[in-house]
Amino acid sequence: MDYLQQKRINVFDVIPAGFFNYLASNSNQRLYVECLELIYRQYEREISYCIPRNQIRDALAIYLLENHVSLDVDQEAGPIKTHGELASDILRKFCSKSVGWLEEENNEATYEKQILMTERGILLAEFLTQLKKPEKEEYSGYIFNIYNTLRNTEQWAEHPYVNGMKSIYQNARFLSKSLKRLSTFIRKVIEKMVNEETLESLTENLLEYFDGSFIREYSRLTKQQNIHIYRGFIKARLDEMKEDAALLDIIVGECMKEEELDEAEARDYVEDMILSSKRFLTEDYDRIMKVIKHKINVYLQVAIGRARFLRNREVDERGNIEQTIRYIVEEMEELDWKEGLPDKMRGLFTLGTQEFIDRSSLRYPRKQRSVRNAAVAEIEEMTQEDIENSRKAQEKEAYNPFSKDRMREYLLLCMGEGNTLAVEDMPFNDKNDLLAALSAAVYAEENGFEIIPAEGYLETDHLLLRRFEVKRRNGDEY
């Protein structure tokens, strides 16, 4: 039960009645948004959100002048002669009680008018900036914060609720929200891919996916900083905190003061924080990551299928005729020939986006095997021997004989003390040797070698392999 939710008041009891009017019903809403963001940026190098009024007015006037903003944007204020007067008028609007984004006050020392950006105005400006250009999040950072907090208990021993339990709970919530946003973003990309019209735009989105900002953070979370490395430790420490009655009493007491709750509410709230954090890290996290992985696979299938569809739709006679007529229509429109056609002939040159699907762009789904009898299995605890055998089986399954590190050792072994190695000097006794040679060439640059193509081809295992030479970079071992 969220006791803090009950104490929250309605947002419209805090902000003025016309707080959003200039962003909703006014025809100059884009101008007001840009002016609010410009004012917000003026405070970046200041020590507070309070600077002289003339400084903000001049910055607004310069912006309005450079962007050629009309001087009659608000006809209710009467005729405005200069951009400086328009900037002053915008400041008065923002400072009005019905808006409340800014406040005007006098400096008691210099009697100079200053503009104070209210807390509500700051939050609105930050929200608009975040919408236009969202900040990148490092998902693994939340895991590190939880792990380091639980590992270094002496750092929050004085305030175990604020610096300990609350920090753990907030980082778990932030990670959950971030992963849900990532999942939604991938779904939007899939919808965008379905509506692509040209092969060029489709290719651009494919490159955006592979080089996109979200894929790097996701990759680091699932590989280098995988949560499974820390999950066991985190779960064990959370259980210890819940079982430690003395520590739990201290946390509950501090929660009562911080959140203004009675003892029973604070105890339920702290226990819910521990349970929610543990449930997310042990159960919900796996479900969210499974959905994200599924959506990525769907994205690739849609992208590749759409690319094949766009590529194949013009390779037959019907597609060639359609393209020929399209070129004729475009030429007629440029030379204004279409205007001179009789009305009864204009229907001949009206083209629609007719598309079709051929067999090569179809993927036949597999027939799912139905479950006829329900199977129930009892849960058995694994012994240490079973765990060790399972670990060895997983290591065997994950073994990659052609990984980057093994290919580096393979080249060094074949090259010996020399600095160069020709492809003819590599062993080609079976198919594995051929795959090793190809993999070594692929990873050569990353492993500190250089591939120099040579003339001719080498026939091995009924295949033709382009001749090449492997050379150590700078003549020494990488």
Side-chain angles (χ1 to χ4, degrees):
M1 182 177 182
D2 195 346
Y3 296 100
L4 299 183
Q5 185 70 27
Q6 299 177 355
K7 296 180 176 295
R8 294 174 184 168
I9 60 178
N10 193 311
V11 66
F12 293 102
D13 295 335
V14 179
I15 62 175
F19 188 76
F20 296 107
N21 284 359
Y22 292 110
L23 301 181
S25 59
N26 198 290
S27 59
N28 300 313
Q29 55 185 354
R30 293 182 181 272
L31 173 63
Y32 293 138
V33 168
E34 293 172 355
C35 290
L36 179 62
E37 293 176 347
L38 176 64
I39 294 172
Y40 177 70
R41 290 195 296 269
Q42 298 301 310
Y43 295 94
E44 289 183 350
R45 295 191 177 182
E46 303 295 333
I47 60 175
S48 67
Y49 287 97
C50 185
I51 57 178
R53 185 180 188 278
N54 294 336
Q55 179 177 341
I56 295 182
R57 183 200 61 194
D58 293 343
L60 280 176
I62 293 173
Y63 168 79
L64 297 172
L65 179 62
E66 291 178 347
N67 290 272
H68 307 288
V69 177
S70 174
L71 295 177
D72 56 351
V73 293
D74 191 353
Q75 298 179 359
E76 296 180 0
I80 298 178
K81 299 180 180 180
T82 65
H83 287 89
E85 294 177 354
L86 178 57
S88 298
D89 182 63
I90 293 175
L91 282 180
R92 284 192 295 270
K93 289 179 181 294
F94 290 0
C95 292
S96 63
K97 292 183 179 180
S98 62
V99 178
W101 297 347
L102 306 175
E103 290 181 359
E104 186 174 292
E105 62 180 24
N106 293 323
N107 191 322
E108 297 179 356
T110 61
Y111 299 99
E112 182 182 24
K113 289 185 177 181
Q114 292 185 326
I115 296 296
L116 171 69
M117 198 167 194
T118 63
E119 183 178 2
R120 300 186 294 269
I122 294 172
L123 293 176
L124 178 60
E126 290 177 346
F127 172 72
L128 295 173
T129 303
Q130 181 72 7
L131 279 180
K132 292 174 63 176
K133 188 178 180 181
E135 296 181 359
K136 298 179 181 179
E137 292 185 277
E138 186 56 54
Y139 308 123
S140 57
Y142 298 124
I143 300 297
F144 286 154
N145 291 337
I146 296 174
Y147 176 77
N148 292 330
T149 301
L150 290 172
R151 190 175 184 84
N152 303 300
T153 57
E154 67 280 357
Q155 296 182 358
W156 47 271
E158 186 176 356
H159 299 287
Y161 173 73
V162 176
N163 298 329
M165 190 66 253
K166 193 172 184 179
S167 174
I168 296 169
Y169 177 67
Q170 288 179 343
N171 277 279
R173 288 188 62 190
F174 291 154
L175 178 59
S176 176
K177 292 178 180 179
S178 301
L179 291 177
K180 291 176 184 177
R181 283 198 298 268
L182 172 62
S183 177
T184 304
F185 174 73
I186 296 176
R187 181 177 61 82
K188 293 296 183 181
V189 173
I190 296 173
E191 293 176 356
K192 182 180 179 182
M193 292 298 304
V194 174
N195 296 324
E196 287 297 333
E197 296 182 354
T198 64
L199 187 58
E200 290 77 12
S201 60
L202 177 64
T203 306
E204 290 175 2
N205 279 330
L206 277 175
L207 296 176
E208 180 183 351
Y209 168 78
F210 288 114
D211 297 332
S213 60
F214 72 89
I215 198 63
R216 289 194 291 269
E217 287 76 15
Y218 173 79
S219 177
R220 283 194 288 267
L221 181 63
T222 56
K223 294 181 181 179
Q224 291 90 343
Q225 291 92 20
N226 198 316
I227 189 176
H228 299 289
I229 303 175
Y230 312 100
R231 182 154 55 183
F233 174 81
I234 293 174
K235 180 179 180 297
R237 293 307 305 269
L238 288 175
D239 290 336
E240 291 176 5
M241 292 178 64
K242 186 177 181 180
E243 299 298 330
D244 191 341
L247 176 61
L248 195 62
D249 290 340
I250 297 175
I251 294 176
V252 171
E254 190 174 353
C255 177
M256 293 171 58
K257 298 178 182 178
E258 291 290 332
E259 312 298 349
E260 299 180 358
L261 302 173
D262 58 36
E263 183 177 358
E265 292 175 341
R267 186 171 298 276
D268 290 341
Y269 184 63
V270 170
E271 290 180 356
D272 182 68
M273 293 173 71
I274 297 175
L275 181 62
S276 299
S277 301
K278 187 172 69 171
R279 182 176 60 244
F280 166 72
L281 295 172
T282 56
E283 300 176 12
D284 297 345
Y285 173 85
D286 289 333
R287 293 192 295 109
I288 295 174
M289 295 299 285
K290 184 178 180 181
V291 171
I292 293 175
K293 184 177 180 180
H294 171 70
K295 288 185 176 181
I296 290 178
N297 292 334
V298 171
Y299 176 91
L300 291 176
Q301 291 178 6
V302 171
I304 296 173
R306 185 68 178 172
R308 294 178 62 182
F309 170 71
L310 293 175
R311 183 193 62 188
N312 294 332
R313 70 174 183 177
E314 296 177 356
V315 298
D316 62 350
E317 295 180 358
R318 175 179 174 179
N320 294 333
I321 295 174
E322 179 185 351
Q323 285 296 103
T324 303
I325 299 177
R326 192 180 301 277
Y327 294 148
I328 295 175
V329 172
E330 292 176 357
E331 191 71 18
M332 290 176 64
E333 290 179 352
E334 291 183 4
L335 300 176
D336 294 332
W337 288 359
K338 197 172 182 180
E339 298 297 328
L341 288 176
D343 294 338
K344 62 180 180 180
M345 295 184 61
R346 291 188 180 183
L348 297 175
F349 298 95
T350 302
L351 295 181
T353 57
Q354 303 298 330
E355 298 178 348
F356 64 94
I357 299 178
D358 60 2
R359 292 184 177 180
S360 59
S361 63
L362 291 177
R363 178 178 180 269
Y364 295 95
R366 295 181 180 177
K367 184 177 180 181
Q368 299 291 338
R369 297 181 60 185
S370 59
V371 180
R372 298 184 178 180
N373 298 321
V376 180
E378 296 182 359
I379 300 177
E380 298 182 2
E381 294 187 2
M382 297 178 64
T383 63
Q384 191 63 33
E385 182 180 358
D386 294 336
I387 295 175
E388 184 66 21
N389 293 335
S390 177
R391 183 186 64 81
K392 291 180 180 179
Q394 293 180 7
E395 289 180 352
K396 183 178 179 181
E397 183 179 354
Y399 175 75
N400 181 10
F402 306 109
S403 64
K404 183 177 70 173
D405 295 336
R406 289 189 174 88
M407 290 302 98
R408 178 175 176 271
E409 297 175 358
Y410 174 76
L411 284 179
L412 292 175
L413 179 64
C414 294
M415 191 171 293
E417 299 297 330
N419 291 329
T420 60
L421 174 66
V423 67
E424 296 89 347
D425 298 332
M426 293 183 179
F428 289 101
N429 299 321
D430 51 23
K431 184 178 179 180
N432 290 332
D433 291 339
L434 176 60
L435 293 176
L438 295 175
S439 301
V442 171
Y443 291 117
E445 185 175 354
E446 298 181 29
N447 285 329
F449 298 93
E450 181 181 359
I451 297 295
I452 303 175
E455 295 294 334
Y457 294 87
L458 178 66
E459 183 176 357
T460 175
D461 200 12
H462 305 289
L463 295 174
L464 292 178
L465 179 64
R466 176 70 180 269
R467 295 180 183 274
F468 61 87
E469 188 179 64
V470 184
K471 184 179 180 182
R472 293 182 192 265
R473 189 175 298 160
N474 298 329
D476 54 359
E477 186 174 332
Y478 178 71

